[in-house]
Amino acid sequence: MLDFDFYSPEEEIALPFYEEHRVRVFVKRDDLIHPYISGNKWRKLKYPLQQAKKEGKSRLVTFGGAWSNHLLATACAGAKFGFRTYGFVRGETIDNPVLKLCQLFDMELHFVDRESYRDKKALFDIHFANSEEAYFIDEGGYGLLAAQGCTEITNELHRTYDHCFCACGTGTTLAGLALGINTQQCGTTLHGVPVLKGGDFIRDEIVKLGVLNAVDIRLHLDYHFGGYAKTKPELIEFIKMFTRQTSILIEPTYTGKLFYAVHDLIGQKQIAEESTVLVVHSGGLTGLLGMLDKF
Ligand SMILES: *Cc1c(COP(=O)(O)O)cnc(C)c1O
């Protein structure tokens, strides 16, 4: 089978701010797993790629926006594990560093207008109707097999935590964590930080992925900073401060909003004193390539 071995330590972040609030914060360093098959994308691709191999498929077909971490991860994973890759990109034809990297890993890009992009299954059926070799992977890697990969985060932990935080795009990572916490019965409260406006839809998505009410899940809807890939000066200032003080790089689209939320909630005393908190660093640092002018 495909070798998905990797390194993702669990380390404490010693910030004076956390100490003042008597909260211990740890980070699961999934950002260290791989520079391009980054963080949760690695976990989300593991089982779909194994399934594709098992079915004898030789080509991965997937979908994303022009700065998509998932497109890049799929392109690199294809190169690593011996699949051809094909990416439908939302919107008009453009060029940027992330798409360039996708092409370097030999992904074939196909730009589609926003209207057609909406129906991914239809796109797949139209372009790959007669293909025996194509394997469908949803936008952002969303799906059950992907959530199973994310569940493995909880198996790797060296201690139990009162709180666990992750960023949410499709909700797949949150779903995986919820399933793991439920299996382990460790009583951890799970927090999702949607990076899009109107992140309430995440609740429905995780139910579709098999998450029931057994786990205490809180969605924090007010940390999107204007919407997906939107940012504000206070977020940028926070990222600079955090990176300087911890040596851990974060970016504005996902992990910046995530760590900002953790900071803010601790400041508001919504995390009780003496609590332990785990933050899942889901990687995605190539997102910085499109944001450097903000710093
Ligand atoms: C894709 C991505 C997410 C979103 O994960 P979902 O499982 O879709 O919720 C979070 N963080 C980073 C860094 C990502 O690249």
Side-chain angles (χ1 to χ4, degrees):
M1 271 282 121
L2 307 178
D3 180 7
F4 267 88
D5 221 11
F6 62 88
Y7 174 69
S8 168
E10 179 184 348
E11 37 185 70
E12 183 162 10
I13 309 177
L15 276 186
F17 178 81
Y18 299 153
E19 232 166 86
E20 278 160 36
H21 289 82
R22 306 181 61 78
V23 171
R24 292 184 71 188
V25 178
F26 295 73
V27 56
K28 178 71 170 152
R29 297 292 308 271
D30 273 11
D31 56 315
L32 299 181
I33 291 181
H34 193 283
Y36 307 112
I37 317 171
S38 182
N40 63 352
K41 301 302 181 284
W42 175 280
R43 297 190 183 273
K44 294 205 276 187
L45 285 169
K46 175 179 173 181
Y47 290 112
L49 264 55
Q50 291 189 352
Q51 183 63 28
K53 269 278 186 267
K54 207 158 84 188
E55 293 178 18
K57 307 289 189 186
S58 57
R59 183 182 234 197
L60 309 174
V61 178
T62 196
F63 309 81
W67 292 95
S68 165
N69 293 332
H70 166 71
L71 275 185
L72 178 54
T74 307
C76 184
K80 182 174 172 66
F81 295 116
F83 295 94
R84 294 162 69 205
T85 53
Y86 190 98
F88 287 99
V89 189
R90 183 184 60 234
E92 63 283 6
T93 305
I94 57 151
D95 196 10
N96 71 35
V98 168
L99 294 176
K100 262 286 188 298
L101 287 172
C102 288
Q103 287 171 314
L104 266 175
F105 290 120
D106 205 25
M107 177 175 260
E108 194 179 330
L109 299 177
H110 184 90
F111 294 84
V112 286
D113 64 85
R114 279 155 206 275
E115 189 51 40
S116 324
Y117 183 83
R118 228 163 261 155
D119 194 345
K120 321 260 174 330
K121 285 276 187 215
L123 277 177
F124 182 82
D125 289 342
I126 292 164
H127 291 266
F128 295 96
N130 302 315
S131 164
E132 293 280 296
E133 55 174 37
Y135 186 83
F136 176 94
I137 300 178
D138 210 339
E139 178 175 38
Y142 174 82
L144 260 181
L145 286 176
Q148 274 170 32
C150 296
T151 297
E152 294 178 351
I153 295 172
T154 60
N155 306 335
E156 293 163 19
L157 300 177
H158 299 300
R159 44 165 80 225
T160 56
Y161 294 93
D162 301 309
H163 300 275
C164 174
F165 280 80
C166 76
C168 305
T170 66
T172 306
T173 305
L174 185 73
L177 291 169
L179 295 170
I181 287 169
N182 189 39
T183 304
Q184 300 195 350
Q185 293 289 314
C186 49
T188 304
T189 299
L190 184 57
H191 301 257
V193 180
V195 302
L196 307 87
K197 215 186 271 184
D200 234 355
F201 75 91
I202 299 282
R203 210 164 273 286
D204 300 329
E205 294 304 321
I206 64 176
V207 170
K208 281 187 220 156
L209 294 174
V211 176
L212 305 171
N213 285 327
V215 180
D216 181 9
I217 301 178
R218 302 187 193 161
L219 288 180
H220 301 283
L221 303 177
D222 299 327
Y223 297 103
H224 56 70
F225 289 88
Y228 182 74
K230 297 280 195 303
T231 176
K232 293 197 170 147
E234 69 251 44
L235 177 61
I236 299 297
E237 284 314 309
F238 172 78
I239 290 172
K240 286 188 193 167
M241 180 280 290
F242 183 88
T243 299
R244 212 178 279 145
Q245 292 192 6
T246 64
S247 83
I248 297 170
L249 199 55
I250 53 177
E251 44 66 54
T253 306
Y254 293 101
T255 50
K257 293 176 183 179
L258 169 66
F259 278 97
Y260 186 101
V262 172
H263 214 79
D264 197 50
L265 292 165
I266 289 174
Q268 291 176 24
K269 307 218 176 296
Q270 294 204 33
I271 304 294
E273 286 190 2
E274 312 305 329
S275 302
T276 53
V277 176
L278 178 74
V279 187
V280 178
H281 191 320
S282 37
L285 295 170
T286 44
L288 277 171
L289 294 173
M291 296 275 200
L292 291 174
D293 59 330
K294 303 282 194 293
F295 286 85

